[in-house]
């Protein structure tokens, strides 16, 4: 059974991106493939892009979609085995995953990191439980540690704006008032391992990502130096991995500004959205012609479609 959990397990990233490019040109070409098939979209957390683009991707393939905001509209789920369920949880994941597998041909799930207990988040209990107790393919719509559909859309966007020379790509941390997960950055790093590019991660002290994920990739603490000659600036906030889930600084020194972008080789600006204006990035950068954020969001549909297409083909 083909699951999309992280990009490390996903076969043929470049083939998926090429397929997405074809779907972008002709979205309805494979309408027959998904006819009569149903995808369940389960959200433990909010979403705009992931929800709408994945639903549209499924519909482009002729699939039916069942969307459930599971924390609001479903029973509160229990994930631990052997629990005496006399508290707030009403349904165990063993039954819930098995029942959803009766109604759906695949299930896509969003379940963010709680950012309290690193080992617990890294265990990815929600997605792992659905893979264990369900009998259908599982697609990650952003879990505690990974957002592979975002990274595939980012790969398509990089491909579309590829310069003639080998590009320099910078993943830059940026400020944010709230603690955010590392999932987007983790998947971007995993995706960049498949690209022909000079790739650098820039972050302030205390914000190193999981060293297993970034092993061998240059990580620097001088943001402006990293920006010199860059072709793409991919910006994202994440909370500390070492001091797990903590926000270590509240200044705006690492915000992306026009002055910093002027150090680059007229770089394209990328961000997964949603983005906080004039905290993460200045208006002038986000609203500039070099900003690719809307195209990134647009590409979410076609890369999700390529993933669902592959899962349908694999049966
Ligand atoms: N980029 C992204 O995943 O957006 P949403 O949180 O709105 O789905």
């Amino acid at each position: 059974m083909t699951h999309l959990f992280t990009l490390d397990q996903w076969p043929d990233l470049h083939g998926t991106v090429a397929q997405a490019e074809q779907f972008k040109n002709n979205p309805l070409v494979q309408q027959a493939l998904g006819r009569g098939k149903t995808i369940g979209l389960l959200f433990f957390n909010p979403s705009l892009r992931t929800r709408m683009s994945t639903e549209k991707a499924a519909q482009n393939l002729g699939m039916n979609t069942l969307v459930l905001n599971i924390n609001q509209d479903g029973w509160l789920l229990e994930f631990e085995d052997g629990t005496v369920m006399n508290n707030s949880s009403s349904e165990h994941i063993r039954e819930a995953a098995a029942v959803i597998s009766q109604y759906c041909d695949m299930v896509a799930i969003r379940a963010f990191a709680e950012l309290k207990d690193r080992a617990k988040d890294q265990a990815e209990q929600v997605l792992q439980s659905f893979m264990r107790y369900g009998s259908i393919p599982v697609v990650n719509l952003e879990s505690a540690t990974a957002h592979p559909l975002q990274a595939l859309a980012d790969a398509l966007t990089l491909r579309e704006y590829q310069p003639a020379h080998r590009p320099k790509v910078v993943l830059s941390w940026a400020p944010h008032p709230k603690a955010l997960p590392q999932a987007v950055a983790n998947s971007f790093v995993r995706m960049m391992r498949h690209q022909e590019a000079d790739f650098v991660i820039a972050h302030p002290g205390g914000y190193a990502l999981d060293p297993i994920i970034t092993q061998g990739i240059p990580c620097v603490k001088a943001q402006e130096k990293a920006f010199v000659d860059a072709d793409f600036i991919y910006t994202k906030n994440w909370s500390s991995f070492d001091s797990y889930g903590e926000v270590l600084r509240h200044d705006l020194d690492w915000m992306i500004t026009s002055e910093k972008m002027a150090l680059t080789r007229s770089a394209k600006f990328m961000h997964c959205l949603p983005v906080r204006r004039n905290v993460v990035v200045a208006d002038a950068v986000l609203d500039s012609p070099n900003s690719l954020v809307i195209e990134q969001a647009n590409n979410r549909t076609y890369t999700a479609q390529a993933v669902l297409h592959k899962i349908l083909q694999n049966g």
Side-chain angles (χ1 to χ4, degrees):
M1 195 183 318
T2 307
H3 301 293
L4 173 59
F5 179 38
T6 78
L7 290 180
D8 285 349
Q9 293 101 32
W10 183 252
D12 192 12
L13 182 144
H14 289 295
T16 302
V17 173
Q19 178 69 69
E21 206 164 35
Q22 288 182 24
F23 282 138
K24 194 168 179 177
N25 290 327
N26 196 352
L28 304 182
V29 67
Q30 289 284 350
Q31 277 263 310
L33 185 67
R35 201 162 292 139
K37 304 281 185 187
T38 299
I39 182 170
L41 300 164
L42 305 187
F43 288 88
F44 288 82
N45 309 100
S47 169
L48 189 161
R49 280 145 289 274
T50 304
R51 176 173 175 155
M52 296 184 78
S53 62
T54 311
E55 196 166 356
K56 185 171 175 191
Q59 289 169 359
N60 282 350
L61 291 166
M63 300 181 78
N64 301 315
T65 58
L66 297 175
V67 185
L68 183 62
N69 296 319
I70 193 157
N71 273 355
Q72 292 162 37
D73 303 327
W75 300 108
L76 192 61
L77 293 182
E78 175 61 54
F79 287 88
E80 301 297 335
D81 275 335
T83 315
V84 178
M85 287 172 56
N86 61 0
N87 211 324
S88 49
S89 306
S90 302
E91 174 150 31
H92 201 279
I93 183 63
R94 285 174 179 259
E95 288 76 56
V99 168
I100 288 166
S101 300
Q102 309 306 306
Y103 306 145
C104 301
D105 299 281
M106 62 179 88
V107 63
I109 302 162
R110 166 163 283 199
F112 286 171
E114 291 178 357
L115 294 174
K116 291 175 191 147
D117 178 338
R118 189 165 86 182
K120 186 167 180 233
D121 282 345
Q122 291 207 299
E124 295 276 17
Q125 189 178 44
V126 175
L127 268 83
Q128 292 288 2
S129 299
F130 273 97
M131 286 191 274
R132 183 170 176 195
Y133 298 122
S135 53
I136 53 177
V138 172
V139 177
N140 186 344
L141 298 179
E142 188 174 343
S143 65
T145 66
H147 196 354
L149 287 179
Q150 180 64 53
L152 288 168
D154 298 336
L156 175 56
T157 311
L158 288 172
R159 179 175 161 130
E160 289 175 331
Y161 289 88
Q162 172 85 15
H165 57 271
R166 180 184 170 89
K168 178 178 177 182
V169 180
V170 179
L171 169 61
S172 177
W173 183 92
H176 198 282
K178 289 173 62 181
L180 299 187
Q182 296 93 20
V184 170
N186 289 343
S187 290
F188 189 77
V189 173
R190 286 188 168 117
M191 179 275 289
M192 284 306 300
R193 288 193 183 280
H194 296 260
Q195 307 300 325
E196 291 296 329
D198 295 326
F199 179 48
V200 181
I201 304 172
H203 61 76
Y207 282 101
L209 291 164
D210 182 345
I212 294 172
I213 292 175
T214 59
Q215 194 173 27
I217 293 169
C219 297
V220 300
K221 294 188 178 64
Q223 187 190 37
E224 295 187 7
K225 202 170 159 194
F227 276 36
V228 173
D229 289 338
D231 297 288
F232 295 92
I233 302 295
Y234 193 100
T235 304
K236 185 72 184 81
N237 171 269
W238 57 88
S239 59
S240 178
F241 182 75
D242 286 337
S243 303
Y244 192 65
E246 286 185 28
V247 176
L248 304 176
R249 51 189 296 168
H250 298 276
D251 61 85
L252 297 183
D253 290 357
W254 277 67
M255 182 169 73
I256 311 303
T257 62
S258 299
E259 292 73 24
K260 291 177 188 172
M261 292 301 285
L263 300 168
T264 68
R265 197 190 266 201
S266 195
K268 303 296 185 194
F269 173 79
M270 297 178 72
H271 189 284
C272 62
L273 303 181
V275 70
R276 292 194 182 222
R277 285 174 171 261
N278 304 310
V279 176
V280 172
V281 56
D283 282 341
V285 176
L286 192 57
D287 297 332
S288 77
N290 279 13
S291 173
L292 301 184
V293 296
I294 304 304
E295 204 48 46
Q296 283 175 263
N298 184 31
N299 285 339
R300 291 291 306 272
T301 299
Y302 308 108
T303 42
Q305 191 170 339
V307 167
L308 303 188
H309 176 257
K310 180 93 177 164
I311 292 171
L312 285 170
Q313 274 187 325
N314 288 357

